[in-house]
Every structure is written in structure tokens, then in C-alpha cells.
Amino acid sequence: YPLEITSESERNCYALLKKTSRSFAAVIMELNPELRNAIMLFYLVLRALDTVEDDMTIDPETKVPLLRTFDSKLLTKDWTFDGNGPNEKDRIVLVQFDQILIEYHKLKPQYQDVIKDITHKMGNGMADYINDKEFNLNGVATIKDYDLYCHYVAGLVGEGLTKLSVAAEFGAPSLIKDMYLSESMGLFLQKTNIIRDYKEDLDDGRSFWPKEIWGKYTPELVNFSKPENLKDGLDCISDLVLNALGHVRDVLVYLSLIYDNSTFNFCAIPQVMAIATLAEVFNNPLVFKKNVKIRKGTTCKLILNSRTYEGVLAIFSQYLRVIHHKCPVSDPNYLKIGIKCGELEQFI
Ligand SMILES: O=C(O)CO[C@@H](C(=O)O)[C@@H](OCCCCCc1ccc2ccccc2c1)C(=O)NCCCCCc1ccc2ccccc2c1
Ligand SMILES: [Mg+2]
Ligand SMILES: [Mg+2]
């Protein structure tokens, strides 16, 4: 679809999108114009909110109220925030938030309402976790907390995208009553990132790995970076990957219910990147050393092969086999991984 830029602020918003997201900018640019600006602004507003959440130099006294009231900034036309530390990665979306606001107010009121509602819920969910000191240093406590945190930062994005797609008649209305499918779209992506970001998050002084899982393999989360604990660390990654695979069935059902081609690509590409990333981090000692990324060549192949539903199924089937074959017999979850991969292969 050709991109018609009609204002300086719109141009600035597309520039912000490119600057703050390698993966999502490309797929958002491909969207049908009816939804492209709404989803681009939905992304930028939530990335601004996440930049506040991620910035460990903002003290909780300021951060918590800012997260809880962030949706109210959408009612203004000129709010910006420059309270960030100099090095925060995406601080530019906060500094230029007025550009986002100008374009946001041009959206159909129905689209504005979806964005404001999700921003309100996400901001309050993030704030709930900032207060929990336990969460910062030892990950989230239970698997239930893990799912709830991922609901706030990613499940809600799925909910908003589904509401926008159905409002534009690009997706089956049944997706509204079966919101658990949209939830899984977000949780699969977020859980994959959390597993991958072990080192990066610990270096930031926080973790999102649930203690109910890692506590089975070590008394202290940081121990996995010591060579003598490598086997325990790899067994823990398997357990977390097994938990993330629990969302695959819903992801594949969700994708089968999207009729608009550009919306399908937008939804499918992050998911195929995630299953490839899960296969990459599975049984991979480098996870405890650095941020493991899939190769550029793999990314291109994934994008080319995920333009049809059959192509997506073939990619998932391939990486489920990779995970199954990579699993050592000594892994305590060896059988469960085999059963889960087998189950999903059946489904595919
Ligand atoms: O700071 C970073 O770079 C990474 O931050 C992570 C974190 O801090 O945990 C974390 O921040 C989460 C809070 C802000 C969410 C921002 C977002 C992301 C993608 C979008 C896609 C389309 C529209 C709006 C979107 C909004 C993050 O970016 N995690 C990546 C996974 C989030 C997936 C969201 C999502 C959910 C369902 C989807 C369904 C279809 C297509 C894309 C989808 C995308
Ligand atoms: Mg972030
Ligand atoms: Mg965050």
C-alpha cells in the first residue's frame, strides 16, 4: 500500500516507529491504510509507556503515578516528558510525544477509545509490579504472576489489536468473544522475549523469570551464569520453553481467523520469529552470556515463507521438530517436551 504522508507530525510518527522498533515497524508499514495509522499510534503510545516502565533511573515515587495516569495524557495535545535518563533506549518517543498526540486525535473515536482503554489497563498493571520489590530481584513469584504480568504488557496488546481489526472488519467477530486467543498471541511473544532476555534483564537489576519454575533448578537466579550450574540452567530454559509452547495452539487458531492479507502478515511474522527464537534459545548456553538472536538469513526466510497459513504451519512444524530433537534425554522435562511437540504436530 502506498504511504501518503499528509502532515509533518505524521512524518515524525513514522520516523519514531522506525527508530524504536526493528521488528514491528516493518510489519506495521505493510498494513492496510485503514488500520495502519491506528496501529502505528497504538504501538508508539504503548512503547512510550513501556519506556517509562523500563527506565530504572526514574524513581518509583515518580514512575508509579506516571504509569497509572498515562492514559490521561492522551486527552491533551501537547504533553511530552523529558524526565528520562540520557541513555534510555526509546526516550525519543516521550520527548516527541506531542507529535503522537496530534496524530492520535485525528483517529476515528472508536480507535482512540481502544488505544486509551488498553493504555489505562497496561499502565496500572505495570505500576502494580513496580511496587513489588520481590519481583524486581527474584523475577515474578508464581506462574500465575508470570501470566498476569505478561497479560498486562502483551496480552492487552493482543486484545487491542483484535478490537481494532474486528472494528475494521479485518478479522472474525468471534475473536472478540474468544479473547483468550488474542491473549496467547501476546503471551507467546512476551514469554519468548523474557526467556531470551535473561542476561539483559539481570544486568538491569530485574528479572521476569517465575520463581515457581527457576526455583526447581537453583536457589539463586544469578547462579545460572556459573559454568558448574549450566546443566540446571539449560533444564530451566526447557521448562520455560515448555510453558511458552502452551500458547502455540491458540496462536495457530487465531491466525486461521484473520481474513485480511496484510493483517495476516502483520500477525504471523512476529509469531514465526518467536518460534524460531524459542528453538534458538532451547538448550543454548549462550542465553546466560548474551542476548541470543536468530540469524538475519533465517529472518528473511521466515518472512518469505509466512505469507500463507500453510507456510506458517510448516515453519511451526519445523521448529517444533528442532526443539524436540535438541532435547537431551537427561532433561527432566524430556517426556513432557516430547508429548507437547507431538500434540502440536498432530494439530498441524
Ligand atoms: O523495550 C523493548 O524494546 C521491549 O519491551 C518489552 C518489555 O519491556 O517487556 C515489551 O514491552 C511490552 C509493553 C509495550 C508493548 C508495545 C507493543 C509491542 C508491539 C505492538 C505491535 C502492534 C501494535 C502495538 C504494539 C505495542 C515488548 O515490546 N515485548 C514484545 C512483545 C509484545 C507483543 C505485543 C503484541 C501482542 C499481540 C500481537 C498480535 C499480533 C501482532 C503483534 C502483536 C504484538
Ligand atoms: Mg521494554
Ligand atoms: Mg517493559
Side-chain angles (χ1 to χ4, degrees):
Y1 297 96
L3 187 61
E4 301 105 31
I5 303 273
T6 55
S7 70
E8 215 29 52
S9 49
E10 188 180 21
R11 180 187 321 284
N12 292 337
C13 285
Y14 276 103
L16 283 174
L17 174 67
K18 286 193 185 62
K19 279 195 196 100
T20 58
S21 158
R22 289 98 17 224
S23 46
F24 292 112
V27 290
I28 289 174
M29 293 310 283
E30 275 209 28
L31 279 170
N32 182 308
E34 172 54 30
L35 271 185
R36 186 165 54 203
N37 278 27
I39 291 183
M40 184 256 296
L41 292 164
F42 187 37
Y43 173 83
L44 290 176
V45 169
L46 296 184
R47 184 55 70 212
L49 181 64
D50 180 54
T51 302
V52 173
E53 184 210 33
D54 290 352
D55 186 338
M56 305 305 270
T57 68
I58 306 178
D59 72 80
E61 294 299 296
T62 311
K63 190 186 278 197
V64 170
L66 181 52
L67 290 171
R68 292 200 188 282
T69 62
F70 201 82
D71 58 317
S72 67
K73 312 306 179 197
L74 294 173
L75 305 175
T76 72
K77 280 234 164 168
D78 56 1
W79 184 83
T80 69
F81 182 77
D82 196 4
N84 267 54
N87 61 347
E88 185 55 36
K89 181 164 65 80
D90 294 335
R91 62 190 293 275
I92 188 168
V93 285
L94 287 164
V95 173
Q96 295 189 9
F97 201 76
D98 53 338
Q99 300 300 301
I100 297 166
L101 286 168
I102 293 167
E103 290 304 309
Y104 169 81
H105 287 288
K106 294 179 189 170
L107 292 177
K108 288 179 184 169
Q110 187 183 12
Y111 295 162
Q112 290 186 29
D113 290 347
V114 169
I115 295 172
K116 190 153 63 68
D117 173 54
I118 298 299
T119 303
H120 176 77
K121 291 192 250 185
M122 185 183 287
N124 279 283
M126 286 173 163
D128 291 350
Y129 276 88
I130 300 288
N131 281 335
D132 178 352
K133 272 286 145 285
E134 180 63 14
F135 151 68
N136 276 336
L137 298 178
N138 295 305
V140 291
T142 62
I143 292 174
K144 195 162 159 289
D145 289 329
Y146 180 50
D147 284 354
L148 181 58
Y149 177 73
C150 291
H151 162 71
Y152 285 134
V153 299
L156 286 172
V157 179
E159 178 182 325
L161 289 169
T162 294
K163 285 177 175 172
L164 292 170
S165 303
V166 172
E169 298 187 8
F170 289 159
S174 66
L175 283 171
I176 296 289
K177 69 173 173 53
D178 299 327
M179 205 44 87
Y180 68 94
L181 295 172
S182 307
E183 180 78 5
S184 283
M185 290 288 280
L187 265 59
F188 187 62
L189 299 182
Q190 185 63 18
K191 288 182 173 180
T192 299
N193 279 11
I194 285 173
I195 300 168
R196 182 200 65 196
D197 294 348
Y198 167 86
K199 184 78 176 64
E200 184 180 294
D201 287 333
L202 276 182
D203 290 348
D204 277 352
R206 59 184 187 167
S207 173
F208 302 97
W209 284 24
K211 191 167 187 178
E212 187 179 340
I213 290 183
W214 64 258
K216 292 189 268 183
Y217 304 95
T218 178
E220 291 302 323
L221 190 51
V222 290
N223 288 356
F224 289 147
S225 10
K226 294 174 196 151
E228 65 270 23
N229 301 320
L230 178 60
K231 162 96 171 78
D232 292 326
L234 295 177
D235 290 346
C236 185
I237 289 175
S238 298
D239 209 329
L240 291 164
V241 168
L242 178 63
N243 173 280
L245 291 179
H247 300 288
V248 167
R249 175 193 301 271
D250 288 347
V251 164
L252 296 177
V253 170
Y254 184 98
L255 291 174
S256 72
L257 295 169
I258 298 294
Y259 351 107
D260 175 72
N261 237 346
S262 75
T263 307
F264 177 82
N265 291 334
F266 163 71
C267 292
I269 290 172
Q271 304 299 333
V272 297
M273 298 292 180
I275 188 67
T277 302
L278 276 189
E280 190 63 31
V281 298
F282 192 80
N283 208 46
N284 186 342
L286 292 175
V287 168
F288 301 115
K289 294 275 168 291
K290 63 172 189 158
N291 224 305
V292 169
K293 292 253 193 288
I294 49 178
R295 292 186 9 259
K296 201 106 184 78
T298 308
T299 304
C300 301
K301 189 192 73 177
L302 291 172
I303 290 171
L304 289 173
N305 296 336
S306 54
R307 306 200 84 76
T308 64
Y309 189 62
E310 290 66 31
V312 170
L313 291 180
I315 290 168
F316 268 83
S317 181
Q318 170 195 345
Y319 285 109
L320 285 164
R321 268 200 308 280
V322 167
I323 290 170
H324 193 177
H325 295 157
K326 275 178 88 172
C327 193
V329 179
S330 61
D331 188 313
N333 286 297
Y334 178 73
L335 278 180
K336 285 183 188 165
I337 295 269
I339 292 165
K340 176 54 74 179
C341 289
E343 244 174 47
L344 290 168
E345 290 283 353
Q346 289 302 327
F347 177 78
I348 290 171

